[in-house]
Amino acid sequence: MKEIAVKAAHEGGCVLLQKFGGVLDVGFKGAIDLVTEADRAAEEAVVGIIRHTFPRHAVLAEEAEHGLSEGEYRWIIDPLDGTTNYTHGFPWFAVSIALEVRGEVVIGVVYNPAHQELFVAEKGQGAYCNDVQIRVSDTRRLDRSLLATGFPYDRKESEVNNYDHFVNFQQAAQACRRPGAASLDLAYTAAGRFDGYWEMKLKPWDVAAGQLLVKEAGGRISNFAGGDFDIFSPEILASNGAVHREMIEVLRHGRCPESFTSKT
């Protein structure tokens, strides 16, 4: 199954690279939430490979319905994470594919075609980048940490928009970055390039593969309050584990979707 996920990610990435930098048909799913012909074409390529091998498996994908979306085996797919970057010609985007078995993600693949980096994790088998095992960083202090985050699509309408957390972490950490692709933020946390990452209002396909990468690389995943995380949670906190508690304390001082008012 891992081999099929990798094959599908490469195929989706090839589609994205073929269309990258060209004239795109761009649509809007919301005021600033983009969708392009590249998203749709990459999703069709990914789903086609998976369906050919596993026709009875369920598929949950970002851009379209592909028949059964619930089942014992479910593939969770983001064909183009970082669409805004992609449409502007900024080469920071990825294909994200996860396999969930009986409600648990057991395979995660994040492929950055522009940089030719393939991140792969399998439950209990560790995490890898281009076949080299990766580990989270050993940074012990938040004030020496490089963090990543992103902002929700409703940031102009909602007061729960992550701006407050961003300012607070800029003061508490060494620095913060906002690259624009959640799956790669998580992959980079798994690889020790970021020490921590937080974000809110994401979808399952944004985080399913990346959160497994962090876990298998020795990191920690939770909600903002340190409670249990699942891929349908409205918030995610990922770190090397060592700075996790400090990050939770910073998050207590800002607005959160739910965790500090209804802990799990």
Side-chain angles (χ1 to χ4, degrees):
M1 292 183 181
K2 181 178 69 175
E3 290 75 16
I4 295 300
V6 168
K7 180 181 179 181
H10 273 129
E11 187 65 26
C14 285
V15 171
L16 296 179
L17 284 181
Q18 288 168 1
K19 295 179 178 294
F20 183 62
V23 177
L24 294 169
D25 180 14
V26 180
F28 288 82
K29 295 183 286 185
I32 58 174
D33 191 358
L34 305 178
V35 61
T36 74
E37 60 192 89
D39 295 73
R40 298 186 182 100
E43 184 167 298
E44 287 298 325
V46 170
V47 173
I49 288 172
I50 291 170
R51 279 273 191 248
H52 179 75
T53 311
F54 305 111
R56 297 181 182 275
H57 286 192
V59 171
L60 176 63
E62 180 174 11
E63 303 305 341
E65 294 184 3
H66 299 274
L68 190 68
S69 63
E70 300 283 346
E72 183 177 11
Y73 292 86
R74 179 166 67 170
W75 295 87
I76 303 169
I77 300 163
D78 190 342
L80 174 50
D81 185 20
T83 301
T84 300
N85 290 345
Y86 185 88
T87 58
H88 286 271
F90 180 52
W92 190 253
F93 53 88
V95 180
S96 178
I97 302 172
L99 174 63
E100 185 183 61
V101 179
R102 293 182 287 277
E104 181 179 18
V105 176
V106 297
I107 293 172
V109 174
V110 175
Y111 179 47
N112 178 344
H115 293 79
Q116 295 292 293
E117 285 196 318
L118 178 72
F119 298 88
V120 179
E122 189 171 7
K123 184 186 176 186
Q125 301 300 315
Y128 295 81
C129 177
N130 293 347
D131 296 324
V132 176
Q133 189 164 14
I134 55 177
R135 294 286 299 175
V136 294
S137 72
D138 59 4
T139 304
R140 312 299 298 180
R141 290 170 44 177
L142 187 59
D143 63 357
R144 295 181 180 173
S145 295
L146 178 63
L147 308 179
T149 192
F151 300 96
Y153 284 115
D154 67 351
R155 63 184 181 272
K156 296 182 180 180
E157 292 79 37
S158 173
E159 291 184 347
V160 185
N161 54 25
N162 200 30
Y163 292 169
D164 49 356
H165 297 304
F166 186 74
V167 171
N168 292 340
F169 275 117
Q170 285 284 29
Q171 295 299 107
Q174 185 174 31
C176 298
R177 300 288 182 259
R178 193 266 196 254
S183 62
L184 287 174
D185 291 340
L186 286 162
Y188 267 46
T189 301
R193 301 169 186 176
F194 291 134
D195 303 299
Y197 162 76
W198 83 97
E199 197 164 347
M200 58 176 65
K201 302 182 182 180
L202 294 172
K203 301 296 185 181
W205 45 78
D206 296 315
V207 299
Q211 58 86 33
L212 182 64
L213 284 165
V214 174
K215 290 177 181 176
E216 288 297 318
R220 182 179 172 188
I221 298 283
S222 74
N223 66 16
F224 283 2
D228 293 340
F229 170 81
D230 70 67
I231 61 173
F232 290 91
S233 294
E235 56 195 40
I236 183 171
L237 173 60
S239 80
N240 63 5
V243 299
H244 209 86
R245 178 52 56 185
E246 284 187 90
M247 292 187 71
I248 291 170
E249 291 307 312
V250 172
L251 288 165
R252 288 185 186 278
H253 297 289
R255 297 183 181 92
C256 298
E258 70 170 28
S259 61
F260 289 107
T261 56
S262 59
K263 288 187 180 181
T264 57

